[in-house]
Amino acid sequence: MQLTDYCNKMEIENILAILIPLIAVPVIALIGFFLKGLLKTIKDDLDNQGVNIKKLSDRFSDFQLSIQKVGSTLTAVEKDLDRANINLNKTNSLAEANSDKIRDIQNSLLNTHGNIQIINESIKDHFEKIDSLEKKVFVLNQKIK
């Protein structure tokens, strides 16, 4: 019995030695086929991700350029505002100087107006004296005639 068991065991090992490669090779080939397909899918996905990253990089570069343009524009606006502020300060100084000159002219005109009133009163007094003298001359002329 031991000899038959040993023979049977040897036959089983021989059969398994033949069957295992017959079964393992197609299974390994099948696994390899699926792995190859999976690797291709992963490669395609990575390629697509690379394209997407490139597009994103291009968009980011465009965004950076836009930010630089905005920065340049803001710098130009700031310079314009500084120039406008300088011009406003100059205008304000001129307005203050003109205000002082106008005040001086007003004072001068008030003094002139006062002087004209004094002259008018003096002329009025002279006219009154002239009228009085004319009346006296008229009376004297009447007396002489």
Side-chain angles (χ1 to χ4, degrees):
M1 182 126 193
Q2 288 184 357
L3 185 58
T4 26
D5 286 337
Y6 177 74
C7 286
N8 286 338
K9 185 178 178 188
M10 287 301 284
E11 282 181 28
I12 292 174
E13 286 179 3
N14 286 338
I15 292 172
L16 285 176
I18 293 170
L19 285 177
I20 287 178
L22 289 176
I23 294 172
V25 169
V27 169
I28 291 172
L30 187 62
I31 291 172
F33 176 75
F34 285 121
L35 286 176
K36 182 179 177 184
L38 181 62
L39 287 175
K40 174 143 178 38
T41 302
I42 291 172
K43 181 188 175 297
D44 291 345
D45 287 347
L46 286 175
D47 288 344
N48 288 336
Q49 291 300 324
V51 170
N52 291 340
I53 289 171
K54 174 71 172 115
K55 287 179 184 177
L56 186 60
S57 175
D58 291 344
R59 286 185 197 164
F60 186 72
S61 295
D62 292 344
F63 179 71
Q64 283 180 318
L65 288 175
S66 297
I67 294 292
Q68 288 174 349
K69 288 178 184 177
V70 167
S72 297
T73 302
L74 288 176
T75 301
V77 166
E78 184 179 17
K79 288 180 182 177
D80 288 345
L81 287 174
D82 287 343
R83 281 192 292 268
N85 195 27
I86 290 169
N87 289 337
L88 183 61
N89 288 336
K90 287 179 182 177
T91 302
N92 192 31
S93 296
L94 289 173
E96 287 176 4
N98 286 341
S99 177
D100 292 340
K101 287 179 184 177
I102 288 171
R103 197 172 304 113
D104 292 344
I105 291 170
Q106 282 176 329
N107 290 334
S108 175
L109 286 174
L110 286 173
N111 288 337
T112 302
H113 181 69
N115 290 338
I116 289 173
Q117 283 181 335
I118 292 171
I119 291 171
N120 278 341
E121 289 176 14
S122 175
I123 289 173
K124 187 177 178 184
D125 289 342
H126 284 93
F127 275 128
E128 288 175 358
K129 288 179 184 176
I130 290 172
D131 282 345
S132 172
L133 287 174
E134 282 180 348
K135 287 179 185 176
K136 288 180 183 177
V137 167
F138 182 74
V139 170
L140 284 174
N141 274 338
Q142 290 295 330
K143 286 183 183 180
I144 296 177
K145 287 184 183 183

